mmCIF file of all heavy atoms in Angstrom:
data_model
loop_
_atom_site.group_PDB
_atom_site.id
_atom_site.type_symbol
_atom_site.label_atom_id
_atom_site.label_comp_id
_atom_site.label_asym_id
_atom_site.label_seq_id
_atom_site.Cartn_x
_atom_site.Cartn_y
_atom_site.Cartn_z
ATOM 1 N N VAL A 78 -12.250 -10.847 -12.353
ATOM 2 C CA VAL A 78 -13.602 -11.128 -12.831
ATOM 3 C C VAL A 78 -14.619 -10.708 -11.783
ATOM 4 O O VAL A 78 -14.308 -10.572 -10.599
ATOM 5 C CB VAL A 78 -13.800 -12.631 -13.160
ATOM 6 C CG1 VAL A 78 -12.766 -13.108 -14.167
ATOM 7 C CG2 VAL A 78 -13.730 -13.475 -11.885
ATOM 8 N N PRO A 316 15.213 -3.446 9.912
ATOM 9 C CA PRO A 316 16.038 -4.488 10.533
ATOM 10 C C PRO A 316 15.888 -5.894 9.950
ATOM 11 O O PRO A 316 16.766 -6.727 10.165
ATOM 12 C CB PRO A 316 15.577 -4.458 11.995
ATOM 13 C CG PRO A 316 14.233 -3.843 11.978
ATOM 14 C CD PRO A 316 14.248 -2.856 10.855
ATOM 15 N N ASP A 341 13.891 -31.196 -6.618
ATOM 16 C CA ASP A 341 14.283 -29.852 -6.197
ATOM 17 C C ASP A 341 15.780 -29.815 -5.950
ATOM 18 O O ASP A 341 16.354 -30.750 -5.370
ATOM 19 C CB ASP A 341 13.586 -29.452 -4.890
ATOM 20 C CG ASP A 341 12.079 -29.393 -5.000
ATOM 21 O OD1 ASP A 341 11.549 -29.571 -6.112
ATOM 22 O OD2 ASP A 341 11.437 -29.188 -3.954
ATOM 23 N N ASP A 415 1.408 -38.518 -2.975
ATOM 24 C CA ASP A 415 0.930 -39.728 -3.636
ATOM 25 C C ASP A 415 1.892 -40.881 -3.342
ATOM 26 O O ASP A 415 3.102 -40.674 -3.171
ATOM 27 C CB ASP A 415 0.823 -39.504 -5.142
ATOM 28 C CG ASP A 415 0.115 -40.645 -5.858
ATOM 29 O OD1 ASP A 415 0.796 -41.608 -6.264
ATOM 30 O OD2 ASP A 415 -1.114 -40.555 -5.990
ATOM 31 N N GLY A 516 6.999 -7.911 -5.234
ATOM 32 C CA GLY A 516 6.918 -6.849 -6.226
ATOM 33 C C GLY A 516 7.719 -7.176 -7.474
ATOM 34 O O GLY A 516 7.250 -7.001 -8.600
ATOM 35 N N SER A 574 -3.395 -20.402 -0.453
ATOM 36 C CA SER A 574 -4.449 -19.393 -0.591
ATOM 37 C C SER A 574 -3.826 -18.010 -0.744
ATOM 38 O O SER A 574 -2.790 -17.706 -0.140
ATOM 39 C CB SER A 574 -5.365 -19.399 0.628
ATOM 40 O OG SER A 574 -6.190 -18.249 0.635
ATOM 41 N N THR A 736 -22.064 21.652 24.534
ATOM 42 C CA THR A 736 -23.345 22.105 25.082
ATOM 43 C C THR A 736 -24.255 20.920 25.303
ATOM 44 O O THR A 736 -24.081 19.853 24.698
ATOM 45 C CB THR A 736 -24.028 23.105 24.130
ATOM 46 O OG1 THR A 736 -24.195 22.494 22.845
ATOM 47 C CG2 THR A 736 -23.198 24.373 23.992
#
Side-chain angles (χ1 to χ4, degrees):
V78 304
D341 298 355
D415 190 271
S574 167
T736 57

